[in-house]
């Protein structure tokens, strides 16, 4: 509607407004129906005593029944725990709350009130609302720079808040520092950050009705003292109104009434404007009737105007015909260029095929060289090791020779001395001594034989040690494959978990910064044509069986972006550098490629046929760079060979086949010299980038995981076998050592016999001192010679074995060097050929690109012609549309042009203008003005009527809301009065709750003795304990009228003696149990005393305050 004009006089609006105010009922606060409110007050205050007694009796009966009901915890909306870090007096405090009734006890200064303060602060409350500080930084512990408070909210069952996002627990954290910064963090039950907006926290509090800013819901220490001791009837009434949210609703209604008064004022001004618009519409109609003259002259001007409009259309149509001729010529040029491009493409494909074969040969030779080099390295390492062992053994052998020679010389010299001594003794003792000497020599021979058997047995230990070394080596060699296979199993499990977790989130397969890059491309309007990419987003795999092989063969091509101009290429490259997401960029064009004559037989599956590509640029680039239209897919290798060499091998460039190893494959091509070449494709280890069946991917990954686990079990079984073999070798060595001990015992027994004979001889010797010494020297020298001879023989055997090993390793290295030299020569030859072929391919690629550039130029020229034709056609269509708006097509008189018709029109229009100037404008303008004036009048009139209807509807709605509000107020007051009466009766008190809504006061009348028939006394006449108990009853009554799931009270018993405190605590526990599903947090500085705790009552005892701590360091208020 047009703006309302303000042309009324000063008296008019006031008179009109007064008349309207008298005709419509008032709804302002100052004009409420006081008689009705007075009646409501009388209903509240003057209730019949008998009726009240009857209601109280019924209520007591209901409460007794309610006491028998089982209190169950709420499924959600209650607090599970509160955690404080560097908060007030606590460095770290974690309080686990029960789901129903919680008592937090502790000495003064132990930080009990910090729990309620932390709940208020963490759930969005202001610092001033706690009465503990003026700002958040005043809550930070002295000496610290920041603080964190955390509250966990239960969030289970069907009525949970966004359970799929947060889980069973909503974690709310608030961080604040001394610098004044403050942030909220909403986390899921797993600790994942969901949001840091305070608005989301307010939504959660509204959902669970957590009225943290409600003074009746969370009574801090100061508020509790004020309520329990110093509150006046007016204060109690304010607590009652705020706690039941009635005050908030009343304020909303007052605001609505003020807005309605403003609507009434605006409505009066609009009515005056309607009269003005009506007068203007009548004047415009009268002027239009005077303008309806000179119609003959207008008809002639109109006929010339029609011809002039269509004459311009005919001129533009001639331009379009000329463009059509140019387009035919451009099509002929493009067709010729496309024929040349196809020829160049075939040449390039042949060169590319030859290059691929040459590269495959090089890769194959290089792969064949790697195991030979690895084998040589192993042999060389073993040779160096054996060489070092040989040098050590030879040095040791030389040292043994020197020591052995010296020992033999001592034996020879000692034996000569003993024989000389025996001859001297024989001459003295006769023949008995000689007999003993003969027996002694025979027993010594037995000792020598036993020693030889022992030495022979000791020599066999080398073979057992070698077998143990071989078994140990084989067992050690099984460790590396097992570790590698376990890593493969772990990687497979991680990929499977990633697929299951990120199900449907394709962007997870790309770089982490890819979503930011795509978002930046969408928001950038500077591109001539939006880039397309990454290619994987536009490719859907219809047969998921080939996912691993195609992902591996495409490689980084699926992360490529395509643009259509050099300018877009530069802009996209700059954008990638800015974001830090670097991907390949190709420049393409929108000209289509027809591959129907270049595809294999229809019986084959090609890469192109198993892909669904939703963008022509992507399809074209994959055809040019990946030859997807000529790449055949077969599950069996024999079928792949048949596809390359069989009767249907036309247009088959390469073939991919599956292998027994899941996810792996073979690439078959025409190799060097025309033969068949194949290369192995490892399984793709990343997430799929092409769109495909995610369930198939998950099942496929699960099959791979099962196969890897089976292979791991086989390797572990082999390891166990090798371990058993090693253990068997170790047991054989143990048996060998036992046998060695037995042989050593035999040697020792024989030596004992020799010693006995020697002792007998020694008894016959007169001069036994010298002979004994000589024999001892001989025995020592003999033992030394035997030991050194054994060591020497062992060293000779060891050196022989080492020399044999060195000869074997040298022969192996010579063979391997020859094989390596031969392989390197073949690689050099293949690389030289690949270089030549690559040069030929580059030349073919340049010719191909040149041919496609010619096509692009021809296409650009055609596009420019088409653009010109489209512009001309658009002009023709525009002129035709404009002409059709004027009239249907009419023939133009012969010889007439736009200029000639324009001259005639100017002359006739000048004549008409003279007449219209006298009327103040042409007929069309006058008619439009008249129509506009009438429309403005009708719109203004309709708007005023709509506003009047809306005002009446708002009035009715507000009166209805007010009535319901008063009814709700009376119901809540009545329930609180009955609950108060019931709670007093629990201790044998009588009393009433007096609510005066008109004077906004709430007071108590209490009679400590229920036997008295008085109406009770004012609380000022009660004792301190009775007053506190009565006020606790009032608080519980008001809580019963509230719907919040959590009720908190700090130091409720500060003014009570032990008797009243115990009664009050029992009363509060009973009332809490009747409030099914509600959570209570009650703080007291005193112990629980004789109060029995049950499963629904949890008592949290705070640690005693630190020594020397007296007060908290709050700044002055």
């Amino acid at each position: 509607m047009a703006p309302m004009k303000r042309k009324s006089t000063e008296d008019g609006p006031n008179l009109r407004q007064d008349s309207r105010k008298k005709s419509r009922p008032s709804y302002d606060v100052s004009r409420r129906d006081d008689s009705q409110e007075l009646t409501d007050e009388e209903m509240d205050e003057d209730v019949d005593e008998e009726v009240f007694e009857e209601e109280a009796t019924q209520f007591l009966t209901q409460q007794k029944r309610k006491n028998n009901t089982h209190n169950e915890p709420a499924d959600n909306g209650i607090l599970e725990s509160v955690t404080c870090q560097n908060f007030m007096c606590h460095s770290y405090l974690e309080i686990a709350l029960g789901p129903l009734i919680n008592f937090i006890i502790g000495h003064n200064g132990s930080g009990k009130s910090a729990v309620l303060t932390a709940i208020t602060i963490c759930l969005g409350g202001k610092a001033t609302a706690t009465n503990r500080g003026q700002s958040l930084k005043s809550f930070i512990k002295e000496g610290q720079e920041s603080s964190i408070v955390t509250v966990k909210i239960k969030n289970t069952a069907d009525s949970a808040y966004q359970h799929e996002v947060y889980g069973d627990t909503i974690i709310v954290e608030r961080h604040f520092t001394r610098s004044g910064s403050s942030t909220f963090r909403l986390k899921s039950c797993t600790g994942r950050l969901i949001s840091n907006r305070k608005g989301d926290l307010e939504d959660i509090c509204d959902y669970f009705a957590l009225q943290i800013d409600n003074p009746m819901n969370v009574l801090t220490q100061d508020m509790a003292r004020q309520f329990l001791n110093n509150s006046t009837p007016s204060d109690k009434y304010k607590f009652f109104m705020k706690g039941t949210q009635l005050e908030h609703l009343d304020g909303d209604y007052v605001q609505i009434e003020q807005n309605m008064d403003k609507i009434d004022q605006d409505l009066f001004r609009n009515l005056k404007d309607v009269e003005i618009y009506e007068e203007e519409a009548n004047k415009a109609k009268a002027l239009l009737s005077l303008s309806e003259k000179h119609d003959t002259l207008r008809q002639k001007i109109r006929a010339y105007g029609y011809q002039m409009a269509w004459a311009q259309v005919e001129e533009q149509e001639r331009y379009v015909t000329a463009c059509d001729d140019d387009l035919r010529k451009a099509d002929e040029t493009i067709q010729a260029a496309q024929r040349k491009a196809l020829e160049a493409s075939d040449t390039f494909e042949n060169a590319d095929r030859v290059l691929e074969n040459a590269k495959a040969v090089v890769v194959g030779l290089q792969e064949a060289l790697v195991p030979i080099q690895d084998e040589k390295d192993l042999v060389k390492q073993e040779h160096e090791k054996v060489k070092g062992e040989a040098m050590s053994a030879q040095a040791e052998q030389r040292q043994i020779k020197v020591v052995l020679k010296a020992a033999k010389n001592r034996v020879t010299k000692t034996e000569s001395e003993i024989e000389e001594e025996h001859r001297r003794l024989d001459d003295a003792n006769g023949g008995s001594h000689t007999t003993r000497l003969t027996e002694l020599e025979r027993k010594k021979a037995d000792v020598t034989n036993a020693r030889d058997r022992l030495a022979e047995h000791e020599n066999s230990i080398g073979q057992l040690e070698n077998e143990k070394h071989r078994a140990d080596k084989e067992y050690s060699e099984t460790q590396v494959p097992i570790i590698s296979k376990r890593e493969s199993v772990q990687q497979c499990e991680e990929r499977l978990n990633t697929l299951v977790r990120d199900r449907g989130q394709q962007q997870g397969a790309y770089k982490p910064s890819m979503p930011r890059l795509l978002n930046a491309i969408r928001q950038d309007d500077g591109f001539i044509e939006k880039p397309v990419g990454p290619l994987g987003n536009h490719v859907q795999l219809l047969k998921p069986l080939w996912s691993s092989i195609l992902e591996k063969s495409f490689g980084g091509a699926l992360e490529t972006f395509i643009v259509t101009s050099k300018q877009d290429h530069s802009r996209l490259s700059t954008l990638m550098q800015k974001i830090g997401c670097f991907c390949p960029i190709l420049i393409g064009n929108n000209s289509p490629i027809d591959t129907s004559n270049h595809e294999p037989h229809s019986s084959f599956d090609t890469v192109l046929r198993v892909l669904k590509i939703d963008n022509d640029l992507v399809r074209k680039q994959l055809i040019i760079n990946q030859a997807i239209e000529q790449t055949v897919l077969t599950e069996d290798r024999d079928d792949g060979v048949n596809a390359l060499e069989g009767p249907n091998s036309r247009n088959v460039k390469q073939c991919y086949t599956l292998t027994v190893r899941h996810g792996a494959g073979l690439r078959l091509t025409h190799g060097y010299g025309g033969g068949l070449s194949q290369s192995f494709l490892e399984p793709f280890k990343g997430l799929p980038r092409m769109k495909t069946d995610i369930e198939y991917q998950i099942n496929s990954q699960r099959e791979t995981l099962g196969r890897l686990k089976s292979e791991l079990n086989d390797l572990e079984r082999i390891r166990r076998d090798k371990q058993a073999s090693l253990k068997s070798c170790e047991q054989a060595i143990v048996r060998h050592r036992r046998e060695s001990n037995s042989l050593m015992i035999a040697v020792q027994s024989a030596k004992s016999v020799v010693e006995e004979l020697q002792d007998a001889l020694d008894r016959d010797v007169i001069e036994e001192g010298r002979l004994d010494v000589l024999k001892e020297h001989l025995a020592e020298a003999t033992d030394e010679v035997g030991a050194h001879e054994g060591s020497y023989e062992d060293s000779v055997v060891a050196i022989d074995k080492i020399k044999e090993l060195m000869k074997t390793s040298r022969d192996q290295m010579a063979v391997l060097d020859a094989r390596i030299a031969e392989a390197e020569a073949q690689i050099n030859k293949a690389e030289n050929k690949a270089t030549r072929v690559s040069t030929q391919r580059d030349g073919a690629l340049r010719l191909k690109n040149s041919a496609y550039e010619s096509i692009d130029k021809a296409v650009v020229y055609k596009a420019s012609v088409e653009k010109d034709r489209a512009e001309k056609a658009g002009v023709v269509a525009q002129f035709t549309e404009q002409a059709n708006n004027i009239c249907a097509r009419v023939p133009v008189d012969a010889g007439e042009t736009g200029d000639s018709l324009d001259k005639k029109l100017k002359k006739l229009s000048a004549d008409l203008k003279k007449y219209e100037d006298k009327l103040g404008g042409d007929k069309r303008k006058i008619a439009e003005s008249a129509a506009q004036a009438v429309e403005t009048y009708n719109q203004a009139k309709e708007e005023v009527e709509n506003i009047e209807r809306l005002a009446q509807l708002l009035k009715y709605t507000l009166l209805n809301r007010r009535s319901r509000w008063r009814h709700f107020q009376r119901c809540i007051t009545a329930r609180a009065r009955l609950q108060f009466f019931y709670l007093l009766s629990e201790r044998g008190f009588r009393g009433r709750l007096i609510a005066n809504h008109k004077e906004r006061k709430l007071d108590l009348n209490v009679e400590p003795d229920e036997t008295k028939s008085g109406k009770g006394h004012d609380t000022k006449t009660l004792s301190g304990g009775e007053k506190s108990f009565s006020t606790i009853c009032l608080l519980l009554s008001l809580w019963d009228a509230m719907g919040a799931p959590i009720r908190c009270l700090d130091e409720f018993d500060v003014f009570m003696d032990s008797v009243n405190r115990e009664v009050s605590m029992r009363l509060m526990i009973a009332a809490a149990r009747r409030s099914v599903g509600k959570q209570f947090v009650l703080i007291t500085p005193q112990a629980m005393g004789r109060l029995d705790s049950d499963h629904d009552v949890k008592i949290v005892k705070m640690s005693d305050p630190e020594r020397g701590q007296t007060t908290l360091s709050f700044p002055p208020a």
Side-chain angles (χ1 to χ4, degrees), residues 145-159:
E145 294 298 323
S146 63
S147 179
I148 303 174
V149 289
T150 305
V151 170
K152 294 184 179 179
I153 304 175
K154 188 176 181 181
N155 191 47
T156 59
D158 295 338
S159 60

Side-chain angles (χ1 to χ4, degrees), residues 599-606 609 648:
E599 295 188 26
H601 192 268
S602 59
S603 62
F604 293 126
D605 272 345
T606 65
R609 291 169 184 167
N648 294 326

Side-chain angles (χ1 to χ4, degrees), residues 69-81 96-104 119 154 1036 1039 1044-1049 1068-1083 1093-1100:
T69 60
H70 186 60
N71 189 8
E72 293 290 343
D75 294 328
N76 48 58
I78 61 176
L79 306 185
E80 294 180 337
S81 68
L97 298 177
L100 296 172
I101 306 170
N102 297 272
F103 282 96
I104 300 177
I119 294 174
K154 188 176 181 181
L1036 294 176
W1039 272 356
I1046 303 172
R1047 286 90 186 267
C1048 305
L1049 178 59
M1068 294 176 75
I1069 292 175
R1073 286 171 176 164
R1074 287 193 301 271
S1075 301
V1076 179
K1078 299 298 188 291
Q1079 185 183 37
F1080 289 79
V1081 179
L1082 308 173
I1083 296 178
S1093 60
D1094 205 346
H1095 68 281
D1096 58 346
V1097 178
K1098 181 172 183 179
I1099 301 174
V1100 180

